[in-house]
Amino acid sequence: TVAQLREIREDELRHLLLLNRAITALGGDPTVQSPCADTVQVASLGLLQVLTDPRTSVPQCLQAILTAELTDNDGWQLLVNLAEELGHAELAAEFQTALAGEETHLASVRGWLEEHVLAQAQA
């Protein structure tokens, strides 16, 4: 599991760099905080609070991470669709690769959550 978490961390860094390159290539500034980014940041604060609260159990943390992974998956799917619709086939392919990684993350988190919930139910 530690190796999987490290791989997820590395994937997330690659995804950040991909988005940075894509925004720059399309003529944008990846350092600008858009109104949409502000909204996502506010929504994410609740997840961060769950993860950093010392009273939060491992399954509760995994539930918060599951929420983030579901959001990531939908976000990457939207980016794939937008890139395809706007004629950026190469970018769409890169986004599809990122989406495949996010789908793996989602499956891992779902599995970990199920394991912990079942272990608690049997205790």
Side-chain angles (χ1 to χ4, degrees):
T1 303
V2 172
Q4 287 174 299
L5 289 171
R6 286 186 177 131
E7 182 61 30
I8 289 172
R9 180 188 64 198
E10 294 302 315
D11 281 349
E12 295 301 340
L13 176 58
R14 282 189 290 275
H15 296 168
L16 172 69
L17 296 174
L18 168 58
L19 289 173
N20 189 312
R21 285 191 317 273
I23 292 168
T24 301
L26 293 170
D29 180 355
T31 65
V32 171
Q33 183 88 5
S34 69
C36 184
D38 286 338
T39 302
V40 170
Q41 181 181 13
V42 170
S44 298
L45 286 175
L47 298 176
L48 185 58
Q49 288 174 338
V50 169
L51 295 171
T52 59
D53 188 326
R55 299 168 295 172
T56 305
S57 68
V58 170
Q60 290 167 334
C61 286
L62 288 168
Q63 183 64 50
I65 295 168
L66 178 62
T67 299
E69 289 297 342
L70 288 165
T71 300
D72 279 356
N73 273 262
D74 281 357
W76 283 107
Q77 184 62 64
L78 180 58
L79 287 172
V80 169
N81 295 347
L82 284 169
E84 287 174 347
E85 187 68 28
L86 297 174
H88 299 285
E90 190 173 310
L91 200 51
E94 289 185 81
F95 291 163
Q96 184 63 49
T97 299
L99 174 59
E102 289 299 333
E103 289 169 343
T104 300
H105 302 172
L106 181 58
S108 295
V109 173
R110 280 183 171 146
W112 299 331
L113 178 58
E114 184 175 337
E115 286 175 26
H116 281 276
V117 169
L118 289 173
Q120 278 186 339
Q122 294 172 350

